[in-house]
């Protein structure tokens, strides 16, 4: 028995060398976010860059963390810097697909 029986414990693991690269983060923030902001604006949704970033991260499973607490799920949008290289690549690919399919907007490579 421990002193913390019944308490929620969250452990975050970070693996060295697996973090997203500065180039990926720059591409996401300097290209993807502003372009999606334009796509949203064309559809009558004027969002700030910060809101756009949070929103598009929430579109992809890799961009959110779900924690079960008391039989319910709580969702948290991850910070961009928390994503691994692979996760950020999947987010970028997913956002490109969403932009094309739902907004008729092609994002540059």
């Amino acid at each position: 028995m421990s002193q913390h029986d019944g308490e929620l414990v969250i452990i975050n693991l970070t693996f060295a060398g697996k973090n997203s690269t500065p180039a990926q983060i720059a591409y996401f923030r300097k290209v993807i976010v502003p372009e999606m902001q334009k796509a949203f604006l064309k559809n009558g949704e004027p969002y700030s860059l910060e809101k756009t970033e949070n929103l598009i991260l929430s579109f992809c499973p890799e961009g959110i963390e779900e924690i079960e607490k008391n039989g319910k799920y709580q969702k948290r949008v991850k910070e961009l810097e928390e994503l691994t290289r692979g996760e950020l690549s999947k987010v970028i690919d997913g956002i490109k697909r969403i932009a094309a399919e739902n907004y008729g907007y092609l994002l540059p490579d």
Side-chain angles (χ1 to χ4, degrees), residues 1 5 11 17 20 31 34 43 47 53-54 56 58 63-64 66 76 87 90 93 100:
M1 292 282 235
D5 285 344
I11 299 173
S20 52
V31 177
N43 284 283
Y47 296 141
E53 180 175 310
N54 286 331
I56 63 178
S58 75
I64 59 171
E66 291 182 302
R76 177 184 78 84
E87 288 172 334
K90 287 179 182 178
D93 290 343

Side-chain angles (χ1 to χ4, degrees), residues 31-46:
V31 177
I32 298 289
V33 173
E35 291 297 321
M36 284 303 294
Q37 183 186 39
K38 291 177 194 172
F40 291 144
L41 185 58
K42 283 185 178 182
N43 284 283
E45 300 164 339

Side-chain angles (χ1 to χ4, degrees), residues 9-109:
V9 176
I10 299 172
I11 299 173
N12 289 317
L13 300 176
T14 303
F15 296 95
K18 299 211 182 244
N19 294 341
S20 52
T21 66
Q24 282 179 305
I25 291 171
Y27 173 70
F28 190 83
R29 287 210 168 117
K30 302 291 184 191
V31 177
I32 298 289
V33 173
E35 291 297 321
M36 284 303 294
Q37 183 186 39
K38 291 177 194 172
F40 291 144
L41 185 58
K42 283 185 178 182
N43 284 283
E45 300 164 339
Y47 296 141
S48 67
L49 290 170
E50 179 183 18
K51 181 167 175 113
T52 300
E53 180 175 310
N54 286 331
L55 183 60
I56 63 178
L57 282 171
S58 75
F59 288 168
C60 303
E62 296 81 13
I64 59 171
E65 177 181 35
E66 291 182 302
I67 300 169
E68 189 271 326
K69 185 176 179 181
N70 299 326
K72 294 184 180 183
Y73 287 99
Q74 295 179 345
K75 177 177 141 180
R76 177 184 78 84
V77 177
K78 294 179 183 178
E79 296 292 326
L80 186 62
E81 290 77 11
E82 290 180 66
L83 300 177
T84 65
R85 287 179 191 169
E87 288 172 334
L88 187 48
S89 289
K90 287 179 182 178
V91 167
I92 290 169
D93 290 343
I95 297 305
K96 286 181 175 183
R97 182 183 47 75
I98 289 168
E101 291 175 2
N102 297 309
Y103 293 93
Y105 208 84
L106 298 177
L107 297 174
D109 286 328

